[in-house]
Amino acid sequence: MKKKINLQCILLTFLTFTMGLSQFIIIGIINNLSTDFRVSIADIGALVTIFAIVYAAATPIINLSIGSIALHKVMLFFMLFFSFGNLLTAIASNFNVLLMSRIITALSSGPLMSTAVTFAAAIAPQRKRAWLISWVFSGFSIASVFGVPLGTWISDNLNWRLTFWTIFFASVFITIVVFYLLPHNLTQNGTHNIFKQLAILKDKRIIWGILVPVFNFSAIYIIYTYLKPILIKELSFSHNNGERKISCVNA
């Protein structure tokens, strides 16, 4: 039993790592996408904004609409949806297809995250529940620290599409393992009235609790999103080998 729980923990952490890589990698390859699709840096940056808006707006509605459907089926469905979104990104031939692929990925990422946390809380013993949930969330941090730099290196030295092909094959692998490893009978209580559930937003404490991380992450990711263009254009770092080019300006 302990070995199975450890494997499930690894699976859920790998899932969130893959989702985190899919979400954050745009930041590392923003220049490559701008060049490849012949659009401005701002247009590529808008992909991050659109992804975040769709993720934030759709996730609560989708989660409330799941009802009493077995979460195993829910996760498999959204894993296939997520895989398709990343496949579409990898083969995108123009900016509109790229935009659609990011919307599809955003629609699937939110429900996958909440379902993964629900599984973590359900499969872990009471004394290890917080430990397992923290590991599931850590997948995003691991993706930021290790996945994005590696994906950026692949993009700069090989091809940015290879990163998304890797994410696609990883997500397909996760889907197969999810089918066999996670419990099939886990459900949540059905929701009879979505609007009644959304009534919690009338509570000012909930609103303030939401606004704090909104402003916090907004301040952080405005810089993160355009970090590579800032380093290249403003601080004169090389796009290919990371060596800084020093320019002399005569007074």
Side-chain angles (χ1 to χ4, degrees):
M1 178 61 71
K2 182 178 179 180
K3 183 178 180 181
K4 185 176 182 179
I5 292 176
N6 289 337
L7 289 174
Q8 291 170 332
C9 175
I10 294 172
L11 171 64
L12 294 174
T13 304
F14 186 41
L15 167 61
T16 54
F17 169 84
T18 305
M19 288 194 296
L21 180 58
S22 177
Q23 292 178 31
F24 300 142
I25 191 58
I26 296 295
I27 296 171
I29 63 174
I30 189 169
N31 290 76
N32 308 80
L33 294 176
S34 176
T35 301
D36 202 9
F37 290 99
R38 298 180 181 179
V39 296
S40 68
I41 293 291
D43 289 334
I44 301 299
L47 292 177
V48 179
T49 302
I50 293 171
F51 185 100
I53 291 173
V54 173
Y55 187 108
T59 299
I61 297 174
I62 294 175
N63 287 344
L64 290 172
S65 303
I66 290 173
S68 56
I69 302 174
L71 294 183
H72 185 264
K73 293 181 179 179
V74 172
M75 179 167 279
L76 287 175
F77 173 80
F78 282 108
M79 277 303 306
L80 292 173
F81 205 43
F82 177 80
S83 301
F84 174 70
N86 285 283
L87 173 63
L88 198 59
T89 302
I91 64 175
S93 57
N94 57 64
F95 182 76
N96 290 331
V97 176
L98 179 65
L99 174 61
M100 181 58 63
S101 71
R102 298 308 293 167
I103 292 175
I104 292 173
T105 307
L107 286 171
S108 57
S109 294
L112 276 176
M113 184 64 212
S114 57
T115 306
V117 173
T118 303
F119 269 110
I123 63 181
Q126 180 67 37
R127 58 190 177 85
K128 288 191 174 183
R129 188 166 297 168
W131 171 81
L132 181 52
I133 292 175
S134 66
W135 264 107
V136 172
F137 276 106
S138 72
F140 284 95
S141 300
I142 297 171
S144 298
V145 175
F146 297 104
V148 173
L150 178 59
T152 302
W153 183 89
I154 292 173
S155 177
D156 286 343
N157 293 276
L158 299 173
N159 192 300
W160 66 266
R161 295 179 188 273
L162 182 59
T163 302
F164 282 97
W165 277 111
T166 302
I167 294 172
F168 166 70
F169 285 116
S171 58
V172 170
F173 171 77
I174 292 170
T175 304
I176 295 171
V177 180
V178 162
F179 180 81
Y180 291 102
L181 196 58
L182 293 183
H184 291 209
N185 57 352
L186 182 63
T187 61
Q188 63 180 7
N189 293 329
T191 302
H192 300 290
N193 191 323
I194 294 178
F195 295 102
K196 186 178 294 185
Q197 295 292 322
L198 294 176
I200 62 172
L201 296 177
K202 294 180 180 179
D203 190 329
K204 292 182 179 180
R205 294 171 298 179
I206 299 295
I207 297 298
W208 283 111
I210 293 173
L211 288 177
V212 170
V214 164
F215 286 114
N216 180 34
F217 287 117
S218 296
I220 293 173
Y221 284 106
I222 286 174
I223 299 297
Y224 279 3
T225 301
Y226 297 102
L227 182 60
K228 190 172 182 179
I230 291 171
L231 290 173
I232 293 173
K233 293 184 177 181
E234 302 299 329
L235 300 180
S236 301
F237 279 86
S238 171
H239 176 64
N240 293 321
N241 56 24
E243 295 177 358
R244 187 172 181 179
K245 298 177 180 177
I246 306 298
S247 59
C248 297
V249 179
N250 295 327

